[in-house]
């Protein structure tokens, strides 16, 4: 696993609502402490730039968490594109608005994607992260 100098892989959270990003990062840090670098972006374009920046620094993004309803590129399309740049990364979509066609398309493209509905249950999210950690162990 290619990681940054402190040896930690990254979790990237993408949502256009800053309060959601803050809640996600606080919840993840409370559950997993310093096991990861916690990164965030307000939309898919910013997230793709961040993925490139992290890769150039040697940080591997192993978990992608994205909202579906965002300006520009929707979460399903972002996760598909991001997985191409982060092969093997776990993908989690957290949404309150995704249409069934988008969910179906995402599941066809990424059979192992986890889809959680807002408001998400903390334990379900933590278990999805633990499952991903086991996959990358």
């Amino acid at each position: 696993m290619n990681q940054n100098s402190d040896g930690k892989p990254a979790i990237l959270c993408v949502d256009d609502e800053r309060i959601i990003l803050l809640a996600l990062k606080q919840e993840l840090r409370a559950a997993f402490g310093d096991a990861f670098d916690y990164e965030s972006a307000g939309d898919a374009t910013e997230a793709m730039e961040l993925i490139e920046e992290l890769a150039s620094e040697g940080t591997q993004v192993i978990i992608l968490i994205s909202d579906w309803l965002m300006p520009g590129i929707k979460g399903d399309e972002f996760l598909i594109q991001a997985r191409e740049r982060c092969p093997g990364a776990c993908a989690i979509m957290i949404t309150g608005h995704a249409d069934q066609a988008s969910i179906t398309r995402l599941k066809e493209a990424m059979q192992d994607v986890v889809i959680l509905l807002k408001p998400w249950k903390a334990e379900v999210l933590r278990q999805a992260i633990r499952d991903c950690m086991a996959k990358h162990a």
Side-chain angles (χ1 to χ4, degrees):
M1 204 176 347
N2 187 18
Q3 298 162 349
N4 56 14
S5 59
D6 62 8
K8 292 189 284 190
I11 295 177
L12 174 59
C13 303
V14 186
D15 197 305
D16 60 317
E17 294 183 55
R18 292 291 173 186
I19 191 75
I20 298 290
L21 289 175
L22 182 61
L24 274 170
K25 287 174 74 173
Q26 286 178 339
E27 187 173 314
L28 293 170
R29 187 169 278 118
F32 301 104
D34 292 330
F36 300 99
D37 282 334
Y38 302 97
E39 303 290 343
S40 61
D43 61 39
T45 301
E46 181 184 346
M48 292 303 243
E49 291 170 0
L50 187 54
I51 288 169
E52 294 302 319
E53 181 182 321
L54 291 168
S56 72
E57 295 170 356
T59 299
Q60 183 181 21
V61 176
I62 66 164
I63 302 172
L64 300 158
I65 302 174
S66 179
D67 184 26
W68 178 73
L69 186 59
M70 297 185 291
I73 300 171
K74 299 284 187 272
D76 58 323
E77 186 61 34
F78 161 70
L79 287 172
I80 291 167
Q81 290 178 17
R83 177 69 80 69
E84 291 173 8
R85 295 190 184 173
C86 306
C90 296
I92 301 171
M93 187 167 72
I94 301 178
T95 185
H97 300 97
D99 61 46
Q100 193 56 49
S102 297
I103 290 173
T104 300
R105 186 172 87 85
L106 184 58
K107 285 183 173 183
E108 287 172 357
M110 306 168 80
Q111 290 78 22
D112 59 347
V113 66
V114 175
I115 298 174
L116 304 177
L117 298 178
K118 288 181 180 176
W120 66 88
K121 290 183 172 41
E123 181 51 39
V124 175
L125 176 60
R126 287 192 298 267
Q127 187 59 51
I129 302 294
R130 284 192 291 269
D131 291 347
C132 185
M133 290 169 61
K135 176 181 164 186
H136 282 273

